[in-house]
Amino acid sequence: MHTDHTRADVIFDVRDVGKTYTMGDVDVVALRSVSLTIRGGELLVILGASGSGKSTLLNILGGLDVPSTGTVSFRGTDLTHATDAKLTAFRRKSVGFVFQFYNIIPSLTALENVKLVTDIADDPMDAREALQLVGLEDRMHHFPSQMSGGEQQRVAIARAIAKKPDVLLCDEPTGALDYSTGVKVLDVIEHVHRQLDATVALITHNAGIADMADRVIKMRSGEIVEEYTNATRKTPAELIW
Amino acid sequence: MRALTKKLLRESWHLRGQLLAIVAVVACGIANFIAMRSVERSLYVTRAAFYDGSRFADVFVNVRRAGEHIADRLREIDGVAIVETRVVADVMLDIEGVHEPASGVVVSIPDGGQPELNQLVLRNGRLPRSESDAEVVVSSAFADANTFSEGSTFYAVMNGRRRLLTIVGTAVSPEYVLEMKPGSFMIDNKRYGIMWMGRKGLAAALDMQGAFNSATVLLQPGASEHAVKERMDRILEPYGSLGTIGRDEQLSARFLDDEITQVRVQATIVPTVFLAVAVFLLNISLLRLVSTQRMYIAILKAFGYSNAAIGLHYIGFAIVAVFLGTILGIWGGREIGVWLTQLYAQFYRFPVLRFEMPQDVLVVAVIISITAAVIGALSAVRTALRLPPADAMRPESPKTFRPGLFERLPLLPRLSPIGNMIARNIERRPVKAALSVTMIALATAILVLGRFLFDTFDGLMSIQFDKIQRDDVALTFAKPVSHSSMFDLLSLPGVTTVEPYRMVGVDMSAHGHIKRTAIQAMWSDTAMRRIVDAHERIARLPHDGLLLSRRLADALHVQPGDLVDVKLLEEDRRTISLPVSGLVDDLLGVQAYTTFYNLAAILDEQGSLSGAYLAVDRNELAKFNTAVKNTPIIAGVAVKQAAIQSFKDNYGENMNISSTWIVAFAVIIAFGVVYNSARIALSERGNELASLRVLGFTNGEITIVLLGEQVVLTLIALPIGMILGYGMSSILPDAFATDMLRMPFVFSIRNLGLATLTIVSVALATGLLVRRRLTRLDLVAVLKSRE
Ligand SMILES: Nc1ncnc2c1ncn2[C@@H]1O[C@H](COP(=O)(O)OP(=O)(O)O)[C@@H](O)[C@H]1O
Ligand SMILES: [Mg+2]
C-alpha cells in the first residue's frame, strides 16, 4: 500500500524548534531541538512515550502554540512570529485537528458539528459527504450524547476533513477507544488519507500503529531519536497492539 | 484553620467576580431595607411622640364666627375631652426679599401661653405676649426658608390693614408638620407660612373679641369620632361651619400618614425584588460550582466527610457573599437612612427627627439574608449530597441535547450551527432561562416605571402651567367683591387682561352620598384658566348645569343628566337642585365648574367675583407686586413663575436623586444577572469555545457563541420588561389618585428607548467584561482534559 511521492513539495519545515513551559518557578522543557520536514501527501506517525513532547510538537505545527526557539514555516510562510489572528486564519483554512477527546459540540448534531466548519471554510466539501466518508451517513442527525465514543471520534474526523485541509493532525485519536473501535477509526483516517490524498500527521504512544505510516518519527524527552520509512504500509486491520 | 474552610475561602476568592455581583445585589436589598425601615420607624415613633406630647387634636372645625359660649355646648358632647377655641385668619404677607406677595395663616394661642391642644415646641425665642398684635412666633420651615431670626419683621395684611409683625420665636406644631397651602400641590415654605399670635391681639385685629372661628377637639379614649363630629356639625351649622374634619382629612396629618405608608410599602417591595435576584444568582452560581467540583465532592465523601459537612461547605459560599452584602448593606443603609432622614426633616418639621435604626431591623435583616443564602444554596447542596461517591468520580457524561422547539416549528428560518448552539443551550434549561429573562425584565420594568414617574410629574407640571394656568397671576379676594372691581384690577400696573372668577363652597349630595366641594365659575370662553383633562383635552364649560370632576361624580354616583343637591355654604345656605351636564378627568382637586353667568344667576348676584386671573406684563411685574402688596382687599396671590421656580427649588433635585437611584438599582440587577450568567456560560462552555478556537474560529466569533445566549435572553426580556413597566405604570395614577391630586398618564416612546438603551448598554458592558476572559482561554490545556 505504499504511496510513492512524486509530489515532493514541503508542507512543514521545522528547524531547531525548542519549547519551554514556565510553571511557576520551574521550567519544563517539552521540546529540546527538533528539526523535520513534512511533505505533501504523506502519512506521518509520531511515536513516543507519554511526556516525550509529541503533542507539543503537533500543537506548534497546527498553530495552537508557538515555539520558544527555532522556526516553523508552513508552505514557506513563517508561523513562529505570526499574530494570533494569522494563526487563527491558518487553522481555519489549512489545518484539520482530531484529538483524543473528541471535542465535538454536545449541543449540535453530527451534521451540524461538521457544518460548523464548512460554514467558515473557503472551499469545503459538502458536510454530508464528509460524514459519508467516515461512514456516518445514517447518524447525521444524532447528538453526541446519542453516539458511541468511536462514532463521536468519526464525527471529529469528518469535521476535520470537511474543509479539505492541507494537513490533518491527529493527536492520539484512538487513545480513549477500545481496540476494535480504534481500528475502525484508524481505518477511517487511512481511507480519508487515500481518498483525498491528504497529508496526515498522527501521534501515538502505541508502536503497533506506526506500521500504517509512510514515515515514522520516534521521540524521547523532547527530541527526535529515530526516523525511518516503512517499505510497505499495513492496513489498520493488520495492525497489532 | 480547617482545610475545608481554607478551601471555601480560597475558592470564594477565585469566584470573586460572581460573588461580588451577588454581594452588590444583596447590599442594595439590605441597604434599602435598613434605610426605609429605619426611616419609617423614625417617622412613626417621632410622630407618635410629637402628637402625644403636644396633644394633637382629633377633630378640627372652622366657622365664620361663633360666640365663645358656644364652645360650652361642644364640651357637653359625649366623648369630648377638651375643646379649645381660637381665631385663625388667612393673611397676605409682604416679605422683604420675596418679590411676589406671600401668604399664610395666623393662628391664635391662648393669652396665658401654650394652647391646650396642638402645643407649640419652640425652636428658639419665646411665645408672643397675649395683648400684642405685632408679635408672632413663626413656623420653623417658614423661618428657615426666609432666613428669619428673632427680631426679623415682615408685613401682613389682616382684616384689610397692613401691619408690621415682629418675630419673637420660631416653633413647630403637630398641626403643621407639613405646611402646604390648601389647594396647592406643592410645598413653598418661602411664600407660605404659619404664624402664631396672642389671642387678645389677634382677636382685636380681626374684630373677633369674645368669639372664635376655629375649634379643635381632643376626644376621650374610645369615643366615637364619627358621632362627635356629627353632633358638632349640627351645633355649629348656624355659625357658618365648613364642616368638621378628623385627622384623616387634616392636611399635614394626612400627608404624613401617606408618606409613612409609602415608605413602609417601599421597605417591603424593593428589598424583596433584590433578594429574589440574589437568590436566583446564588442558585445558578452554586449549581455550577457543584458541577465543576463533582470529583472533589466524591473524594471528600470517600474520605468520610459527612453530608452535613459538605452541605454546609457549599452553603458557606452563599453565606460569604450574603454576609459581605449584608455588612455593606447595613453600613450603606445607615448612611442612606441618615441622609434620607435629613431630607425628610426639611419637609416634615418635628421637634427633632433623628435617624433611628431599631435593633430588630438589624436582626430581621440578618435573618432575611441568611434565609436568602440558604434558599439560594439549596438546590446546589441537594445536588452535591445526591452524588454517589463512585458516580462523582467519573466525569460528567455529555450533556444531552434535543432539537429545540424553535427548530420544530414550521415556517421559521433555519438557524446556523452557532444559532442552534445558542438556541439549544437556552432551551435545555428553560427554567433558568425564564428566570434570567424575568430578572432582566424586572430591571427593565424598574427603569420604565422610574422614568414614568418622572415623565408624569413633568406632564402634570406642563398641563398645569402650560395648558391650564395661562394667567400670570391669580388673585383671591378676602370676600367676594362687586363686578366693578374688575376695572380697578385693570388699572394695576402691567395688567393687560383680567378675567374674573367666582368660587363658592358647597355641600353636594345625591343618592345619599354627600361631598364637600366648591363650584368654580369662569367666563365661558375663558382663555386664562382652561379646564384640561388628564389626556390634555380641553373641556368646555357647559352653558347650563355643572361640569363635575369625574372623581366627584364617582363619589356621588351621578352621571351626566342626573341632578345633584347643592347646599351653598355662603350667606343664606340655600339648597338647590342642579343638573350635571358633563364630567371631566381633571387633575387637581375635586370640584364643579360652570360659567360665570350661570353661577351669578344661581347665587342671585350681579356678577360678584371671588378673585381674578390676570395677564401681567413681565416688565411691570415688580411694580405690580408692590401694588398688590398694598391692596388690603386681596387675600391671596399665586404667581405662576414663582410656583414654577419653587417647584424647581423644592423638588427638582430630589427628583434627580431618586431617578439616579432607580437607574442604579436597575443597572445593578441587570449587571448581576448578565455577569453571572455569562461567567457560568463561560465555565460550562469554556472547552467548547476553546475547541472552536482550535477549529479556526476567531475571538469575535466565539464571543457570539458565549454571549449570544445573553443577547437573546436580554432581547426577549426587553419587551416583557416594557410591557411589565407599562402595566405597572398604568396602575399607578389610579392607585395614587387622591381628591387633591391625580397624576396624568404620560408614557413616551422615549421612556422605552431610554430603558432599552440602559439595559442594552449594561448588558454589553458586562458582556465585554466577560469577553476579556476569552482571550485568555488556554487552547492547549483544554485538549488535554475531558471536562
Ligand atoms: N501547557 C503546558 N505547561 C507546562 N508543561 C507542559 C505543558 N504542555 C506540556 N507540558 C510538559 O511538556 C512535556 C511534554 O508534553 P507533551 O507534549 O504533552 O507530551 P506527549 O504528548 O508526548 O505526552 C511534558 O513533561 C508535559 O508535562
Ligand atoms: Mg500528548
Side-chain angles (χ1 to χ4, degrees), chain A residues 21 23 28-30 49-56, chain B residues 780 784:
Chain A
Y21 292 107
M23 293 180 61
V28 180
V29 179
S50 179
S52 58
K54 307 182 296 292
S55 295
T56 304
Chain B
V780 176
K784 296 190 168 149

Side-chain angles (χ1 to χ4, degrees), chain B residues 58 96 167 204 310 371 419 432 440 448 517 572 579 624 652 665 711 722:
Chain B
D58 293 308
E96 207 184 314
I167 295 172
I310 293 173
T371 313
K432 181 179 157 192
I440 300 173
V448 170
T517 176
D572 55 0
F624 170 83
F665 287 165
V711 170
M722 289 177 192

Side-chain angles (χ1 to χ4, degrees), chain B residues 29-60:
Chain B
I30 295 298
N32 259 293
F33 180 75
I34 297 278
M36 298 319 271
R37 281 308 281 256
S38 302
V39 166
E40 183 218 327
R41 186 72 66 93
S42 305
L43 284 175
Y44 192 87
V45 170
T46 307
R47 176 180 70 169
F50 191 25
Y51 281 3
D52 272 4
S54 54
R55 298 227 227 169
F56 185 39
D58 293 308
V59 179
F60 305 77

Side-chain angles (χ1 to χ4, degrees), chain B residues 432-452:
Chain B
K432 181 179 157 192
L435 285 172
S436 281
V437 166
T438 308
M439 303 290 156
I440 300 173
L442 214 56
T444 313
I446 290 172
L447 284 173
V448 170
L449 192 62
R451 188 76 226 172
F452 167 77

Side-chain angles (χ1 to χ4, degrees), chain A residues 12-34:
Chain A
F12 281 108
D13 191 7
V14 179
R15 296 232 170 272
D16 305 322
V17 160
K19 177 77 187 179
T20 307
Y21 292 107
T22 308
M23 293 180 61
D25 301 332
V26 278
D27 283 353
V28 180
V29 179
L31 292 178
R32 275 173 215 289
S33 177
V34 171

Side-chain angles (χ1 to χ4, degrees), chain B residues 608-738:
Chain B
S608 302
L609 41 150
S610 313
Y613 305 120
L614 312 179
V616 181
D617 183 348
R618 215 164 262 229
N619 301 318
E620 304 269 337
L621 205 57
K623 274 192 217 155
F624 170 83
N625 282 335
T626 315
V628 167
K629 285 175 178 174
N630 289 301
T631 308
I633 192 167
I634 295 171
V637 176
V639 179
K640 181 163 134 183
Q641 278 313 316
I644 294 173
Q645 191 54 46
S646 132
F647 167 76
K648 286 185 183 148
D649 294 348
N650 282 307
Y651 297 90
E653 193 191 351
N654 288 346
M655 295 288 285
N656 282 337
I657 292 170
S658 40
S659 70
T660 308
W661 277 114
I662 287 171
V663 171
F665 287 165
V667 165
I668 286 172
I669 292 177
F671 164 76
V673 172
V674 174
Y675 183 79
N676 276 28
S677 306
R679 283 305 299 270
I680 289 166
L682 179 61
S683 147
E684 282 177 343
R685 266 176 274 145
N687 285 6
E688 226 170 270
L689 297 172
S691 304
L692 291 175
R693 289 281 287 131
V694 167
L695 293 178
F697 280 74
T698 61
N699 262 326
E701 286 163 339
I702 61 168
T703 303
I704 297 174
V705 178
L706 175 69
L707 300 179
E709 182 175 335
Q710 306 315 316
V711 170
V712 170
L713 295 181
T714 305
L715 291 182
I716 295 174
L718 278 172
I720 296 177
M722 289 177 192
I723 292 168
L724 198 66
Y726 182 88
M728 296 197 293
S729 300
S730 60
I731 295 171
L732 273 192
D734 276 348
F736 285 114
T738 62

Side-chain angles (χ1 to χ4, degrees), chain A residues 12 57 133-134 145 186 188 197 209:
Chain A
F12 281 108
L57 177 60
L133 263 175
V134 300
S145 59
L186 291 176
V188 166
D197 196 18
I209 293 177

